[in-house]
Amino acid sequence: FINLYAETYPKIQVHTPTSNMLSHSRKVSSSLSFAPCAYFSNTGRANPNQKFLVFFGAPGVGKGTYAGLVQKEFGFNQISTGDEIRKILKGLVPSTFDQKLVAQIKEIVNSGGLVSDEIVLNIVKEKVKEPESAKGVILDGFPRNVEQLKKYDELFPIDLVVNLNLKFEILLEKLMGRRTCVECGRAYNLCNIQRDGYEMDPLLPKESDCDKCHGKPNLVVRDDDTEKVITERFKVYEGQTLPLLNEYKKKGDVMVDFEVKRGVKDYPALKEMLQKRLSL
């Protein structure tokens, strides 16, 4: 099995434990309640004007890039629960973050346990309360499955779901063109796609040095950027995500498909759509 979310949850899996799984794994007690936090109104918002935006997209489509642009443009707080877990393990969360939750996550991960859906949602609750979230939040690829969505719906609203998509053959070409600087990890891309309405320029280092570490460019192909691995990851993504997207469609006019044909050049169109749909 190839971990589709390896970049988001390194060595950490998010799951909904079954009774059978619990009988064969170490149980970590929890004093945290999964009931809706009293801090929130009955709509799940920290304030009446707070927006909840969800981003989806296959690995490599540019979801993180677009989320970062939206964060900067509208002052939303981008929430990637995998990133938050990493911050917790490194002690980089603010003192206002629920310290019981911090201790619980550290205990689970350090003992080799699995982070449950309830704990992930408690992370989201903490992030939604932050001052940076006052205008809105961007949920980066979460919820990840139908069961997580059901639990999410008990706590929070969803104002808009943006499904970023790209033809698989274009996505494959784009990912196989990725290169990484050996010295600093800076990402580049050699592919130059200029056909059928697609305009994706290459991202190349300077001839003499890397943009980040300023050493002589020494670029390598990541182990997971092979055709076989990319194809398998895409299949896994579709199998896990399509049922979830179908659930969003049942909620009415809450989801939009946005095809990425020109990379960041398409951002103005996305921005205009968000302004219209979210009344920004």
Side-chain angles (χ1 to χ4, degrees), residues 8-9 79-86 120 123-124 142 144:
T8 306
Y9 290 97
I79 301 176
S80 169
T81 49
D83 288 345
E84 293 308 315
I85 291 173
R86 279 191 288 270
V120 172
I123 292 174
V124 175
F142 182 85
R144 297 192 186 282

Side-chain angles (χ1 to χ4, degrees), residues 66-82:
Y66 274 95
L69 291 170
V70 172
Q71 178 185 33
K72 183 177 180 180
E73 183 82 38
F74 299 109
F76 287 8
N77 195 5
Q78 183 179 353
I79 301 176
S80 169
T81 49

Side-chain angles (χ1 to χ4, degrees), residues 24-44:
H24 295 285
S25 63
R26 176 182 177 182
K27 298 181 182 179
V28 180
S29 63
S30 170
S31 60
L32 296 173
S33 171
F34 184 60
C37 178
Y39 178 89
F40 300 105
S41 67
N42 57 7
T43 66

Side-chain angles (χ1 to χ4, degrees), residues 104-116:
Q104 187 186 34
I105 291 171
K106 287 183 176 180
E107 180 182 356
I108 292 172
V109 175
N110 290 336
S111 66
L114 303 175
V115 179
S116 69

Side-chain angles (χ1 to χ4, degrees), residues 83-100:
D83 288 345
E84 293 308 315
I85 291 173
R86 279 191 288 270
K87 290 178 184 177
I88 288 170
L89 296 178
K90 293 178 180 179
L92 299 178
V93 292
S95 59
T96 53
F97 207 93
D98 188 330
Q99 295 304 302
K100 289 184 178 179

Side-chain angles (χ1 to χ4, degrees), residues 116-235:
S116 69
D117 294 343
E118 287 82 0
I119 290 176
V120 172
L121 281 164
N122 276 312
I123 292 174
V124 175
K125 284 201 293 186
E126 290 299 304
K127 296 296 295 180
V128 168
K129 292 188 294 183
E130 292 179 345
E132 294 85 355
S133 299
K135 292 182 179 180
V137 297
I138 307 166
L139 294 167
D140 189 348
F142 182 85
R144 297 192 186 282
N145 55 53
V146 174
E147 288 304 311
Q148 287 182 357
L149 176 59
K150 290 178 181 178
K151 293 177 179 179
Y152 175 95
D153 282 344
E154 297 174 7
L155 296 173
F156 306 111
I158 293 176
D159 294 303
L160 185 65
V161 177
V162 178
N163 180 35
L164 300 171
N165 54 68
L166 187 63
K167 286 184 179 180
F168 175 69
E169 58 267 29
I170 300 294
L171 181 64
L172 178 63
E173 186 175 344
K174 178 185 174 185
L175 291 181
M176 290 183 66
R178 291 200 297 196
R179 298 292 186 272
T180 304
C181 176
V182 173
E183 301 301 326
C184 66
R186 173 75 159 86
Y188 295 96
N189 202 301
L190 307 184
C191 74
N192 184 13
I193 304 174
Q194 308 290 333
R195 65 180 185 275
D196 303 326
Y198 291 94
E199 299 177 18
M200 297 188 175
D201 301 326
L203 178 61
L204 305 174
K206 298 174 184 176
E207 186 174 344
S208 58
D209 63 19
C210 170
D211 300 76
K212 184 176 181 180
C213 66
H214 302 294
K216 185 176 180 179
N218 183 11
L219 307 183
V220 296
V221 179
R222 289 175 15 169
D223 292 338
D224 57 349
D225 280 343
T226 64
E227 182 173 357
K228 181 179 179 180
V229 173
I230 293 168
T231 301
E232 187 62 31
R233 290 174 71 199
F234 189 80
K235 289 180 180 178

